[in-house]
Amino acid sequence: VNQRKYGTNMKRPTKTLLLDAAERLFAEKGYRSTSMEDISSVVGIRPSAIYKHFRNKQNLYEGTLDRMVKPFFDMLDESASADKSTDDFLELIFNYNLENPNLAKFAFHATTSGGDHRKLLIDTWYRPFWERTNKVVKSKKDSQSFFMAFNNLIMGHITLGPLHADALGTDPFGAKAIKDETRALSEIAKALLG
């Protein structure tokens, strides 16, 4: 799993360190439970220094979300233009989320908190994700139901992974588990898409 280093390399630009810390904290605690003081503490700067880079907490939140979804969409667009199979496309989505688990956690908090953050998530990530996915599976029956079911499986895997590890005594992010999950997702996709 690709985890960014937080506050460990002060040679990196402060703005990048702030985005790293905000991503981690928003993913762990959500928007409402994360303060600018929390973020500045992780980076090792005064809270007021954040405002040299971001207008306010909302602007930092939006910047964090944009930074997470841009490479995701770039990957989806490249995959769609390469005319990959639906299985390959879905495997890319699954692997991206495994390598970038904060996106699922971020989405979980925004979804459950509702309001403006859910709307921002819909407009910035979910609807564009659906549109890109629909281009690949559009010839299949009931692609919207498939998209929702598949996305629920991936997001559930990421957000519930620690629960599975503790309750079942297994590593849901280990190589064997990922291989088995990928195979299972492929079988589910074939069953759903016919």
Side-chain angles (χ1 to χ4, degrees), residues 121-189:
L121 183 72
I122 290 168
D123 293 343
T124 304
W125 174 69
Y126 197 78
R127 196 167 283 125
F129 178 29
W130 157 245
E131 291 165 356
R132 284 167 169 87
T133 303
N134 193 43
K135 288 178 184 174
V136 174
V137 297
K138 68 181 174 190
S139 62
K140 311 298 183 185
K141 65 178 185 179
D142 203 8
S143 60
Q144 187 173 20
S145 294
F146 167 77
F147 172 77
M148 290 186 299
F150 188 77
N151 199 42
N152 288 339
L153 290 169
I154 292 174
M155 296 294 134
H157 180 82
I158 302 299
T159 58
L160 296 176
L163 174 70
H164 296 157
D166 291 346
L168 303 175
T170 186
D171 178 7
F173 302 110
K176 181 179 179 339
I178 297 304
K179 183 178 177 182
D180 292 345
E181 289 271 336
T182 303
R183 182 186 40 74
L185 286 172
S186 179
E187 291 172 10
I188 292 168

Side-chain angles (χ1 to χ4, degrees), residues 13-161:
T14 301
K15 185 173 184 175
T16 301
L17 294 172
L18 288 167
L19 287 165
D20 290 348
E23 178 184 323
R24 186 187 93 201
L25 293 170
F26 288 142
E28 286 176 3
K29 299 171 27 171
Y31 180 84
R32 290 187 183 120
S33 296
T34 300
S35 69
M36 295 296 259
E37 290 79 16
D38 294 336
I39 295 166
S40 66
S41 177
V42 169
V43 175
I45 61 173
R46 291 183 323 279
S48 60
I50 295 174
Y51 299 100
K52 293 178 184 174
H53 305 279
F54 299 95
R55 288 187 312 278
N56 52 35
K57 183 176 161 183
Q58 180 65 29
N59 182 242
L60 177 54
Y61 183 84
E62 291 168 3
T64 303
L65 180 59
D66 286 343
R67 187 179 78 155
M68 285 190 290
V69 301
K70 184 180 180 335
F72 181 64
F73 290 151
D74 289 347
M75 178 203 67
L76 294 181
D77 293 342
E78 183 179 318
S79 175
S81 68
D83 200 29
K84 293 205 180 260
S85 71
T86 300
D87 276 356
D88 289 343
F89 185 76
L90 298 176
E91 187 173 341
L92 280 173
I93 293 170
F94 183 54
N95 288 332
Y96 183 87
N97 280 281
L98 288 172
E99 293 169 8
N100 301 280
N102 286 341
L103 180 56
K105 295 172 186 177
F106 202 94
F108 170 79
H109 284 291
T111 299
T112 57
S113 69
D116 291 341
H117 291 117
R118 183 184 304 152
K119 182 176 178 346
L120 177 66
L121 183 72
I122 290 168
D123 293 343
T124 304
W125 174 69
Y126 197 78
R127 196 167 283 125
F129 178 29
W130 157 245
E131 291 165 356
R132 284 167 169 87
T133 303
N134 193 43
K135 288 178 184 174
V136 174
V137 297
K138 68 181 174 190
S139 62
K140 311 298 183 185
K141 65 178 185 179
D142 203 8
S143 60
Q144 187 173 20
S145 294
F146 167 77
F147 172 77
M148 290 186 299
F150 188 77
N151 199 42
N152 288 339
L153 290 169
I154 292 174
M155 296 294 134
H157 180 82
I158 302 299
T159 58
L160 296 176

